[in-house]
């Protein structure tokens, strides 16, 4: 038991929200380290459904400290709407949430700029969530971003806002994507947001490091997934942040020497939302069956998710990038009806077996997945909460995934609710989170 990162090992939507919510009661603090309100983490507590976007899923545990780290881009309007929705559902947020003074502020102009890359003829559309996430990170890296600490101080914020917005208007006009924005009104509105979020703003790197020194434990909650990571994902069909384990350090200010484990969350199959290469995509009826059974529609945008079979080479790659100690296999129950279940065990390009993840979209699109077909168990695993109670063929399926990825499946999820979960006794997972 120590400080542990829990993150997505595929293209997002692996069920991180459920897993973080479930195990966050074992930690003192839950910290998000990257992304923004492009994330959509669905958590069921009994009949109640919560969708967390910017706020760590650990907020649903009373008394836990939740942290929005410096690595996030924060749309204050989206944050306040999320706080309001949670508080009206009886969840206390403002006293439990700390927001980094070094996180970057997202403005309506970022959504306008996103139209440049997503809507213009001749540009490859990524199929983003249209939240302005990419353009906000662009400003951060270009060193013209406005941070929460700037927003807190009107003397710093006003001139910075005016000069950044003037520049954006010139670019947007030149590109023909200009949209009349009432800039003085937006500035006033953001100053109003500043007053509302001020009580939550902190130096969260200091808070986290002091908490560690005092013997408290932290769970780091990843958003998106490793294959959407800006460096390690299927570039350019990725998000604009460091979703993999390294991002937990840069995105919170907690050093690698204070992190004790990394857990990957993976579906028993795989999905992706938006464009980009997808070697094991099931374009036949099986993909539709997975989508229908798994309710695979985006939590943020409602878009149907593309569905396919478990990709072991992809997981070997993301296990290497993140150093997974253990993986959580979610949504095993979705495969209950299949007579046979293909699993991709290798990649070939032009008939030649390859061991690495190709770096370019053009090459990944040429990948011929090598499938092995496993017999399905064709009985319900929904809600099963002990390993022994699983059908033998479901156990064999999990053992096969372990053997082909080289990582233990220390936890298995068999339904959206907290209790529909198996923790494997004696696993590294159990040691890290209990
Ligand atoms: P996240 O973004 O990684 O948190 O995942 P999402 O919340 O976007 O998508 C996962 C969806 O699957 C949510 O609707 C969850 O309620 C649901 N879910 C999570 N685990 C399970 C499971 O084991 N079985 C089933 N049937 N649904 C699950
Ligand atoms: P969670 O945290 C799945 C995808 C978008 C698009 C690409 C870039 O719920 O797993 P962006 O708006 O980030 O610039 O879009 O990334 N994407 C996600 N896909 N789950 C997510 O989050 C995602 N967040 C972004 O669909 O392909
Ligand atoms: Mg999601």
């Amino acid at each position: 038991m120590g400080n542990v990162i829990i993150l997505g090992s595929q293209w997002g939507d692996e069920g991180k929200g459920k897993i973080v919510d479930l195990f966050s009661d074992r930690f003192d603090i839950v910290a998000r380290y990257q992304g923004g309100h492009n994330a959509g983490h669905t958590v069921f507590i009994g009949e109640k459904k919560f969708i967390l976007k910017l706020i760590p899923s650990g907020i649903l545990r009373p008394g836990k400290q939740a942290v929005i780290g410096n690595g996030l881009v924060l749309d204050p309007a989206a944050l306040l709407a999320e706080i309001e929705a949670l508080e009206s559902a009886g969840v206390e947020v403002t006293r439990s949430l700390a927001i980094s003074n070094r996180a970057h502020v997202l403005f309506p102009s970022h959504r306008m700029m996103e139209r440049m890359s997503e809507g213009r003829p001749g540009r490859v559309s990524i199929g983003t969530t249209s939240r302005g996430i990419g353009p906000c990170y662009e400003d951060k890296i270009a060193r013209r971003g406005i941070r929460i600490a700037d927003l807190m101080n009107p003397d710093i914020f006003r001139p910075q806002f005016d000069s950044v917005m003037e520049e954006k208007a010139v670019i947007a006009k030149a590109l023909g994507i200009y949209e009349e924005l009432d800039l003085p009104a937006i500035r006033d509105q953001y100053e109003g947001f500043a007053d509302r979020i001020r009580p939550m703003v902190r130096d969260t790197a200091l808070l986290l490091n002091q908490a560690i020194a005092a013997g408290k434990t932290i769970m780091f909650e990843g958003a998106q997934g490793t294959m959407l990571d800006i460096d390690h994902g299927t570039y350019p069909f990725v998000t604009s942040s460091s979703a993999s384990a390294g991002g937990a350090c840069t995105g919170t200010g907690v050093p690698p020497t204070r992190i004790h484990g990394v857990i990957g969350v993976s579906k028993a199959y795989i999905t992706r939302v938006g464009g980009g290469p997808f070697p094991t995509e099931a374009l036949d009826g099986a993909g539709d069956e997975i989508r229908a059974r798994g309710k695979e529609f985006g939590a943020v945008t409602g878009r149907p998710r593309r569905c396919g079979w478990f990709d072991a080479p992809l997981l070997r790659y993301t296990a290497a990038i993140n150093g997974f100690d253990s993986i959580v296999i979610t949504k095993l129950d979705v495969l209950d009806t299949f007579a046979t279940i293909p699993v991709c065990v290798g990649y070939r390009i032009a008939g030649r077996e390859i061991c690495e993840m190709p770096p370019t979209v053009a090459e990944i699109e040429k990948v011929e997945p090598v499938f092995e077909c496993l017999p399905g168990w064709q009985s319900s695993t929904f809600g099963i909460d002990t390993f022994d109670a699983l059908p033998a063929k479901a156990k064999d399926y999990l053992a096969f995934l372990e053997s082909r990825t080289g990582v233990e499946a220390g936890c298995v999820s068999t339904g959206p609710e907290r209790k529909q979960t198996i923790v494997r006794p004696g696993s590294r997972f159990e040691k890290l989170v209990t």
Side-chain angles (χ1 to χ4, degrees), residues 2-56:
N3 304 319
V4 175
I5 306 169
I6 299 200
L7 59 83
S9 58
Q10 298 169 322
W11 277 291
D13 302 325
E14 298 91 347
K16 301 174 291 292
K18 169 189 160 160
I19 299 303
V20 168
D21 163 68
L22 176 59
F23 296 104
S24 55
D25 68 329
R26 323 280 171 94
F27 294 79
D28 298 301
I29 303 175
V30 181
R32 271 276 303 268
Y33 57 86
Q34 43 69 235
H37 64 309
N38 47 350
H41 303 165
T42 310
V43 178
F44 282 93
I45 304 176
E47 294 294 290
K48 277 194 177 171
K49 175 178 174 177
F50 300 89
I51 299 181
L52 286 313
K53 293 170 188 155
L54 264 165
I55 299 176

Short mmCIF file of all heavy atoms in Angstrom, two decimals, residues 2-56:
data_model
loop_
_atom_site.label_atom_id
_atom_site.label_comp_id
_atom_site.label_asym_id
_atom_site.label_seq_id
_atom_site.Cartn_x
_atom_site.Cartn_y
_atom_site.Cartn_z
N GLY A 2 0.65 2.12 -0.94
CA GLY A 2 1.43 3.35 -1.03
C GLY A 2 0.71 4.28 -1.97
O GLY A 2 -0.51 4.37 -1.94
N ASN A 3 1.48 4.95 -2.83
CA ASN A 3 0.87 5.86 -3.81
C ASN A 3 0.81 5.15 -5.16
O ASN A 3 1.83 4.67 -5.65
CB ASN A 3 1.70 7.13 -3.89
CG ASN A 3 1.84 7.77 -2.51
OD1 ASN A 3 0.87 7.82 -1.75
ND2 ASN A 3 3.04 8.22 -2.17
N VAL A 4 -0.36 5.10 -5.73
CA VAL A 4 -0.58 4.23 -6.89
C VAL A 4 -1.26 5.01 -8.03
O VAL A 4 -2.18 5.80 -7.78
CB VAL A 4 -1.48 3.03 -6.49
CG1 VAL A 4 -1.84 2.17 -7.67
CG2 VAL A 4 -0.79 2.19 -5.42
N ILE A 5 -0.79 4.75 -9.24
CA ILE A 5 -1.42 5.35 -10.42
C ILE A 5 -2.39 4.33 -11.03
O ILE A 5 -2.03 3.17 -11.23
CB ILE A 5 -0.36 5.71 -11.49
CG1 ILE A 5 0.74 6.60 -10.90
CG2 ILE A 5 -1.01 6.39 -12.69
CD1 ILE A 5 1.95 6.79 -11.82
N ILE A 6 -3.61 4.78 -11.33
CA ILE A 6 -4.57 3.91 -12.03
C ILE A 6 -4.91 4.61 -13.34
O ILE A 6 -5.37 5.77 -13.33
CB ILE A 6 -5.84 3.68 -11.19
CG1 ILE A 6 -5.45 2.98 -9.88
CG2 ILE A 6 -6.88 2.88 -11.97
CD1 ILE A 6 -6.54 2.26 -9.16
N LEU A 7 -4.67 3.95 -14.45
CA LEU A 7 -4.86 4.64 -15.73
C LEU A 7 -5.34 3.69 -16.81
O LEU A 7 -5.30 2.47 -16.66
CB LEU A 7 -3.55 5.32 -16.16
CG LEU A 7 -2.30 4.46 -16.34
CD1 LEU A 7 -2.26 3.82 -17.70
CD2 LEU A 7 -1.07 5.32 -16.17
N GLY A 8 -5.76 4.28 -17.92
CA GLY A 8 -6.29 3.51 -19.04
C GLY A 8 -5.17 2.90 -19.87
O GLY A 8 -4.19 3.57 -20.20
N SER A 9 -5.34 1.62 -20.25
CA SER A 9 -4.29 0.95 -21.01
C SER A 9 -4.66 0.79 -22.47
O SER A 9 -3.92 0.19 -23.23
CB SER A 9 -4.04 -0.43 -20.40
OG SER A 9 -5.25 -1.16 -20.43
N GLN A 10 -5.82 1.34 -22.87
CA GLN A 10 -6.24 1.22 -24.28
C GLN A 10 -6.51 2.62 -24.84
O GLN A 10 -5.66 3.49 -24.71
CB GLN A 10 -7.46 0.29 -24.35
CG GLN A 10 -7.15 -1.12 -23.84
CD GLN A 10 -8.38 -1.98 -23.65
OE1 GLN A 10 -9.42 -1.51 -23.22
NE2 GLN A 10 -8.28 -3.27 -23.97
N TRP A 11 -7.69 2.83 -25.45
CA TRP A 11 -8.01 4.15 -26.02
C TRP A 11 -9.05 4.90 -25.17
O TRP A 11 -9.89 5.62 -25.69
CB TRP A 11 -8.53 4.02 -27.44
CG TRP A 11 -7.48 3.88 -28.48
CD1 TRP A 11 -6.59 4.84 -28.89
CD2 TRP A 11 -7.19 2.73 -29.29
NE1 TRP A 11 -5.77 4.36 -29.89
CE2 TRP A 11 -6.13 3.06 -30.15
CE3 TRP A 11 -7.75 1.45 -29.36
CZ2 TRP A 11 -5.61 2.17 -31.09
CZ3 TRP A 11 -7.22 0.56 -30.28
CH2 TRP A 11 -6.17 0.92 -31.13
N GLY A 12 -9.04 4.69 -23.87
CA GLY A 12 -9.98 5.39 -23.01
C GLY A 12 -11.25 4.58 -22.77
O GLY A 12 -11.47 3.53 -23.39
N ASP A 13 -12.05 5.05 -21.82
CA ASP A 13 -13.34 4.43 -21.48
C ASP A 13 -13.23 2.98 -21.02
O ASP A 13 -14.13 2.18 -21.23
CB ASP A 13 -14.32 4.52 -22.68
CG ASP A 13 -14.54 5.95 -23.11
OD1 ASP A 13 -14.55 6.83 -22.24
OD2 ASP A 13 -14.67 6.18 -24.33
N GLU A 14 -12.13 2.66 -20.38
CA GLU A 14 -11.89 1.28 -19.95
C GLU A 14 -12.68 0.93 -18.69
O GLU A 14 -12.72 -0.24 -18.27
CB GLU A 14 -10.39 1.06 -19.67
CG GLU A 14 -9.47 1.24 -20.89
CD GLU A 14 -8.96 2.66 -21.03
OE1 GLU A 14 -9.50 3.55 -20.34
OE2 GLU A 14 -8.03 2.88 -21.83
N GLY A 15 -13.26 1.97 -18.06
CA GLY A 15 -13.95 1.73 -16.78
C GLY A 15 -13.13 2.25 -15.61
O GLY A 15 -13.30 1.79 -14.47
N LYS A 16 -12.27 3.22 -15.89
CA LYS A 16 -11.39 3.79 -14.83
C LYS A 16 -12.21 4.38 -13.69
O LYS A 16 -11.88 4.23 -12.52
CB LYS A 16 -10.49 4.90 -15.42
CG LYS A 16 -9.60 4.44 -16.55
CD LYS A 16 -8.85 5.60 -17.18
CE LYS A 16 -9.70 6.56 -17.96
NZ LYS A 16 -10.31 6.03 -19.19
N GLY A 17 -13.31 5.08 -14.07
CA GLY A 17 -14.13 5.75 -13.06
C GLY A 17 -14.64 4.78 -12.02
O GLY A 17 -14.53 5.02 -10.82
N LYS A 18 -15.16 3.64 -12.47
CA LYS A 18 -15.68 2.64 -11.54
C LYS A 18 -14.56 2.15 -10.62
O LYS A 18 -14.74 2.04 -9.40
CB LYS A 18 -16.27 1.44 -12.29
CG LYS A 18 -16.54 0.31 -11.32
CD LYS A 18 -16.94 -1.02 -11.88
CE LYS A 18 -16.67 -2.07 -10.79
NZ LYS A 18 -17.39 -3.31 -10.94
N ILE A 19 -13.41 1.85 -11.20
CA ILE A 19 -12.31 1.27 -10.41
C ILE A 19 -11.75 2.30 -9.42
O ILE A 19 -11.50 1.99 -8.25
CB ILE A 19 -11.20 0.72 -11.36
CG1 ILE A 19 -11.81 -0.38 -12.27
CG2 ILE A 19 -10.00 0.21 -10.60
CD1 ILE A 19 -12.45 -1.56 -11.53
N VAL A 20 -11.59 3.54 -9.88
CA VAL A 20 -11.07 4.59 -8.98
C VAL A 20 -12.05 4.81 -7.84
O VAL A 20 -11.68 4.87 -6.67
CB VAL A 20 -10.80 5.89 -9.77
CG1 VAL A 20 -10.55 7.06 -8.81
CG2 VAL A 20 -9.62 5.71 -10.70
N ASP A 21 -13.33 4.92 -8.18
CA ASP A 21 -14.35 5.12 -7.13
C ASP A 21 -14.30 3.97 -6.12
O ASP A 21 -14.28 4.19 -4.90
CB ASP A 21 -15.74 5.21 -7.76
CG ASP A 21 -16.83 5.01 -6.71
OD1 ASP A 21 -16.96 5.89 -5.85
OD2 ASP A 21 -17.50 3.96 -6.74
N LEU A 22 -14.24 2.76 -6.64
CA LEU A 22 -14.31 1.59 -5.74
C LEU A 22 -13.16 1.55 -4.75
O LEU A 22 -13.36 1.32 -3.57
CB LEU A 22 -14.33 0.32 -6.59
CG LEU A 22 -14.32 -1.01 -5.83
CD1 LEU A 22 -15.52 -1.10 -4.90
CD2 LEU A 22 -14.34 -2.17 -6.81
N PHE A 23 -11.93 1.79 -5.25
CA PHE A 23 -10.78 1.61 -4.38
C PHE A 23 -10.30 2.91 -3.72
O PHE A 23 -9.36 2.88 -2.93
CB PHE A 23 -9.65 0.91 -5.14
CG PHE A 23 -10.05 -0.49 -5.55
CD1 PHE A 23 -10.40 -0.79 -6.86
CD2 PHE A 23 -10.14 -1.49 -4.59
CE1 PHE A 23 -10.81 -2.07 -7.22
CE2 PHE A 23 -10.55 -2.77 -4.94
CZ PHE A 23 -10.88 -3.06 -6.26
N SER A 24 -10.95 4.03 -4.04
CA SER A 24 -10.48 5.30 -3.47
C SER A 24 -10.68 5.36 -1.96
O SER A 24 -10.03 6.15 -1.29
CB SER A 24 -11.14 6.50 -4.16
OG SER A 24 -12.53 6.36 -4.10
N ASP A 25 -11.55 4.49 -1.43
CA ASP A 25 -11.73 4.54 0.03
C ASP A 25 -10.49 4.03 0.77
O ASP A 25 -10.36 4.25 1.96
CB ASP A 25 -12.98 3.75 0.46
CG ASP A 25 -12.82 2.26 0.24
OD1 ASP A 25 -12.11 1.87 -0.71
OD2 ASP A 25 -13.40 1.48 1.03
N ARG A 26 -9.57 3.36 0.03
CA ARG A 26 -8.35 2.86 0.69
C ARG A 26 -7.24 3.92 0.72
O ARG A 26 -6.17 3.67 1.27
CB ARG A 26 -7.79 1.63 -0.04
CG ARG A 26 -8.82 0.69 -0.60
CD ARG A 26 -9.38 -0.24 0.48
NE ARG A 26 -10.52 -0.97 -0.04
CZ ARG A 26 -10.47 -2.19 -0.57
NH1 ARG A 26 -9.32 -2.80 -0.70
NH2 ARG A 26 -11.57 -2.79 -1.00
N PHE A 27 -7.45 5.05 0.04
CA PHE A 27 -6.41 6.09 -0.06
C PHE A 27 -6.92 7.36 0.62
O PHE A 27 -8.13 7.55 0.79
CB PHE A 27 -6.10 6.38 -1.54
CG PHE A 27 -5.47 5.22 -2.25
CD1 PHE A 27 -6.25 4.15 -2.71
CD2 PHE A 27 -4.10 5.16 -2.46
CE1 PHE A 27 -5.69 3.06 -3.35
CE2 PHE A 27 -3.51 4.07 -3.10
CZ PHE A 27 -4.31 3.02 -3.56
N ASP A 28 -6.00 8.27 0.96
CA ASP A 28 -6.41 9.52 1.59
C ASP A 28 -6.79 10.57 0.54
O ASP A 28 -7.64 11.43 0.78
CB ASP A 28 -5.28 10.07 2.46
CG ASP A 28 -4.94 9.10 3.59
OD1 ASP A 28 -5.85 8.81 4.38
OD2 ASP A 28 -3.79 8.61 3.64
N ILE A 29 -6.11 10.52 -0.61
CA ILE A 29 -6.26 11.57 -1.62
C ILE A 29 -6.41 10.94 -3.00
O ILE A 29 -5.76 9.93 -3.29
CB ILE A 29 -5.01 12.49 -1.63
CG1 ILE A 29 -4.78 13.09 -0.23
CG2 ILE A 29 -5.12 13.59 -2.69
CD1 ILE A 29 -3.50 13.91 -0.12
N VAL A 30 -7.27 11.51 -3.83
CA VAL A 30 -7.34 11.08 -5.25
C VAL A 30 -7.01 12.29 -6.10
O VAL A 30 -7.64 13.36 -5.96
CB VAL A 30 -8.73 10.54 -5.62
CG1 VAL A 30 -8.75 10.10 -7.08
CG2 VAL A 30 -9.11 9.37 -4.72
N ALA A 31 -6.01 12.15 -6.99
CA ALA A 31 -5.55 13.29 -7.78
C ALA A 31 -5.63 13.01 -9.27
O ALA A 31 -5.10 11.99 -9.74
CB ALA A 31 -4.11 13.62 -7.39
N ARG A 32 -6.26 13.90 -10.02
CA ARG A 32 -6.20 13.85 -11.50
C ARG A 32 -4.94 14.56 -11.94
O ARG A 32 -4.54 15.56 -11.34
CB ARG A 32 -7.42 14.58 -12.08
CG ARG A 32 -8.67 13.75 -12.31
CD ARG A 32 -8.68 12.97 -13.64
NE ARG A 32 -8.53 13.79 -14.84
CZ ARG A 32 -9.52 14.31 -15.53
NH1 ARG A 32 -10.77 14.12 -15.16
NH2 ARG A 32 -9.28 15.01 -16.63
N TYR A 33 -4.31 14.09 -13.01
CA TYR A 33 -3.04 14.70 -13.43
C TYR A 33 -3.00 15.24 -14.85
O TYR A 33 -2.03 15.90 -15.23
CB TYR A 33 -1.88 13.74 -13.20
CG TYR A 33 -1.97 12.38 -13.88
CD1 TYR A 33 -1.51 12.21 -15.20
CD2 TYR A 33 -2.45 11.26 -13.21
CE1 TYR A 33 -1.56 10.98 -15.82
CE2 TYR A 33 -2.51 10.01 -13.83
CZ TYR A 33 -2.06 9.88 -15.13
OH TYR A 33 -2.11 8.64 -15.74
N GLN A 34 -4.01 14.99 -15.66
CA GLN A 34 -3.98 15.50 -17.05
C GLN A 34 -5.39 15.56 -17.62
O GLN A 34 -6.35 15.09 -17.00
CB GLN A 34 -3.06 14.68 -17.96
CG GLN A 34 -3.14 13.18 -17.83
CD GLN A 34 -4.42 12.50 -18.31
OE1 GLN A 34 -5.08 11.78 -17.57
NE2 GLN A 34 -4.75 12.75 -19.57
N GLY A 35 -5.48 16.12 -18.82
CA GLY A 35 -6.76 16.16 -19.52
C GLY A 35 -7.64 17.28 -18.99
O GLY A 35 -7.19 18.20 -18.29
N GLY A 36 -8.91 17.16 -19.33
CA GLY A 36 -9.85 18.20 -18.91
C GLY A 36 -11.23 17.61 -18.92
O GLY A 36 -11.39 16.42 -18.58
N HIS A 37 -12.23 18.39 -19.39
CA HIS A 37 -13.59 17.84 -19.38
C HIS A 37 -13.91 17.09 -20.68
O HIS A 37 -15.06 16.87 -21.02
CB HIS A 37 -14.64 18.90 -19.05
CG HIS A 37 -14.76 20.02 -20.05
ND1 HIS A 37 -13.70 20.75 -20.51
CD2 HIS A 37 -15.85 20.54 -20.67
CE1 HIS A 37 -14.13 21.65 -21.38
NE2 HIS A 37 -15.42 21.54 -21.49
N ASN A 38 -12.83 16.64 -21.36
CA ASN A 38 -12.98 15.64 -22.44
C ASN A 38 -13.20 14.25 -21.82
O ASN A 38 -13.72 13.36 -22.47
CB ASN A 38 -11.76 15.62 -23.37
CG ASN A 38 -10.42 15.58 -22.64
OD1 ASN A 38 -10.35 15.76 -21.43
ND2 ASN A 38 -9.36 15.39 -23.38
N ALA A 39 -12.78 14.08 -20.57
CA ALA A 39 -12.97 12.80 -19.89
C ALA A 39 -14.44 12.63 -19.51
O ALA A 39 -15.14 13.60 -19.25
CB ALA A 39 -12.10 12.73 -18.64
N GLY A 40 -14.88 11.38 -19.46
CA GLY A 40 -16.23 11.07 -18.97
C GLY A 40 -16.14 9.76 -18.22
O GLY A 40 -15.98 8.70 -18.83
N HIS A 41 -16.15 9.83 -16.90
CA HIS A 41 -16.01 8.63 -16.07
C HIS A 41 -17.34 8.36 -15.39
O HIS A 41 -17.80 9.15 -14.57
CB HIS A 41 -14.90 8.84 -15.02
CG HIS A 41 -13.57 9.19 -15.63
ND1 HIS A 41 -12.52 9.70 -14.92
CD2 HIS A 41 -13.11 9.08 -16.90
CE1 HIS A 41 -11.49 9.88 -15.72
NE2 HIS A 41 -11.83 9.52 -16.94
N THR A 42 -17.96 7.25 -15.78
CA THR A 42 -19.29 6.94 -15.26
C THR A 42 -19.18 6.04 -14.02
O THR A 42 -18.49 5.03 -14.06
CB THR A 42 -20.11 6.20 -16.33
OG1 THR A 42 -20.02 6.95 -17.54
CG2 THR A 42 -21.57 6.06 -15.93
N VAL A 43 -19.86 6.44 -12.99
CA VAL A 43 -19.83 5.66 -11.75
C VAL A 43 -21.27 5.42 -11.30
O VAL A 43 -22.06 6.35 -11.24
CB VAL A 43 -19.07 6.43 -10.64
CG1 VAL A 43 -19.07 5.63 -9.33
CG2 VAL A 43 -17.63 6.73 -11.07
N PHE A 44 -21.57 4.15 -11.01
CA PHE A 44 -22.88 3.81 -10.45
C PHE A 44 -22.72 3.50 -8.98
O PHE A 44 -21.88 2.68 -8.60
CB PHE A 44 -23.47 2.58 -11.15
CG PHE A 44 -24.06 2.89 -12.50
CD1 PHE A 44 -23.29 2.77 -13.65
CD2 PHE A 44 -25.37 3.31 -12.60
CE1 PHE A 44 -23.83 3.06 -14.90
CE2 PHE A 44 -25.93 3.60 -13.85
CZ PHE A 44 -25.16 3.48 -14.99
N ILE A 45 -23.54 4.16 -8.17
CA ILE A 45 -23.61 3.77 -6.76
C ILE A 45 -25.07 3.42 -6.52
O ILE A 45 -25.92 4.31 -6.45
CB ILE A 45 -23.13 4.90 -5.83
CG1 ILE A 45 -21.70 5.33 -6.23
CG2 ILE A 45 -23.17 4.44 -4.37
CD1 ILE A 45 -21.15 6.50 -5.46
N GLY A 46 -25.33 2.12 -6.48
CA GLY A 46 -26.73 1.68 -6.44
C GLY A 46 -27.43 2.16 -7.70
O GLY A 46 -26.94 1.99 -8.81
N GLU A 47 -28.56 2.81 -7.51
CA GLU A 47 -29.35 3.31 -8.64
C GLU A 47 -28.80 4.63 -9.18
O GLU A 47 -29.18 5.06 -10.25
CB GLU A 47 -30.80 3.55 -8.18
CG GLU A 47 -31.56 2.29 -7.80
CD GLU A 47 -31.78 1.38 -9.00
OE1 GLU A 47 -32.58 1.76 -9.88
OE2 GLU A 47 -31.15 0.30 -9.06
N LYS A 48 -27.93 5.27 -8.39
CA LYS A 48 -27.48 6.62 -8.77
C LYS A 48 -26.33 6.56 -9.77
O LYS A 48 -25.36 5.83 -9.57
CB LYS A 48 -27.01 7.38 -7.53
CG LYS A 48 -28.14 8.03 -6.75
CD LYS A 48 -27.53 9.03 -5.78
CE LYS A 48 -28.61 9.76 -5.00
NZ LYS A 48 -28.05 10.56 -3.92
N LYS A 49 -26.46 7.38 -10.82
CA LYS A 49 -25.40 7.42 -11.84
C LYS A 49 -24.71 8.78 -11.79
O LYS A 49 -25.38 9.82 -11.78
CB LYS A 49 -26.04 7.21 -13.21
CG LYS A 49 -25.09 7.33 -14.38
CD LYS A 49 -25.83 7.07 -15.67
CE LYS A 49 -24.97 7.32 -16.89
NZ LYS A 49 -25.64 7.01 -18.13
N PHE A 50 -23.39 8.79 -11.76
CA PHE A 50 -22.62 10.03 -11.76
C PHE A 50 -21.68 10.00 -12.96
O PHE A 50 -21.08 8.96 -13.25
CB PHE A 50 -21.77 10.15 -10.49
CG PHE A 50 -22.58 10.16 -9.22
CD1 PHE A 50 -22.89 8.97 -8.58
CD2 PHE A 50 -23.02 11.35 -8.66
CE1 PHE A 50 -23.63 8.96 -7.40
CE2 PHE A 50 -23.77 11.36 -7.49
CZ PHE A 50 -24.07 10.16 -6.86
N ILE A 51 -21.56 11.15 -13.67
CA ILE A 51 -20.54 11.22 -14.73
C ILE A 51 -19.54 12.30 -14.32
O ILE A 51 -19.88 13.48 -14.24
CB ILE A 51 -21.15 11.53 -16.11
CG1 ILE A 51 -22.11 10.40 -16.50
CG2 ILE A 51 -20.04 11.65 -17.16
CD1 ILE A 51 -22.75 10.56 -17.85
N LEU A 52 -18.32 11.86 -14.02
CA LEU A 52 -17.27 12.79 -13.62
C LEU A 52 -16.47 13.19 -14.85
O LEU A 52 -16.11 12.34 -15.66
CB LEU A 52 -16.33 12.12 -12.62
CG LEU A 52 -16.77 11.88 -11.18
CD1 LEU A 52 -17.40 13.13 -10.57
CD2 LEU A 52 -17.71 10.72 -11.03
N LYS A 53 -16.22 14.48 -14.99
CA LYS A 53 -15.49 14.95 -16.17
C LYS A 53 -14.14 15.55 -15.77
O LYS A 53 -13.10 15.16 -16.26
CB LYS A 53 -16.34 15.95 -16.93
CG LYS A 53 -17.57 15.27 -17.53
CD LYS A 53 -18.56 16.24 -18.07
CE LYS A 53 -19.85 15.52 -18.46
NZ LYS A 53 -21.01 16.42 -18.44
N LEU A 54 -14.20 16.57 -14.91
CA LEU A 54 -12.96 17.23 -14.47
C LEU A 54 -12.59 16.82 -13.06
O LEU A 54 -11.43 16.86 -12.68
CB LEU A 54 -13.22 18.75 -14.45
CG LEU A 54 -12.79 19.54 -15.66
CD1 LEU A 54 -13.44 20.91 -15.64
CD2 LEU A 54 -11.28 19.66 -15.72
N ILE A 55 -13.59 16.50 -12.29
CA ILE A 55 -13.38 16.23 -10.87
C ILE A 55 -13.02 14.76 -10.68
O ILE A 55 -13.66 13.88 -11.28
CB ILE A 55 -14.66 16.60 -10.08
CG1 ILE A 55 -14.95 18.09 -10.28
CG2 ILE A 55 -14.52 16.26 -8.60
CD1 ILE A 55 -16.23 18.58 -9.64
N PRO A 56 -11.98 14.47 -9.89
CA PRO A 56 -11.59 13.07 -9.69
C PRO A 56 -12.76 12.23 -9.17
O PRO A 56 -13.56 12.71 -8.35
CB PRO A 56 -10.48 13.15 -8.64
CG PRO A 56 -9.98 14.54 -8.69
CD PRO A 56 -11.10 15.40 -9.15
#
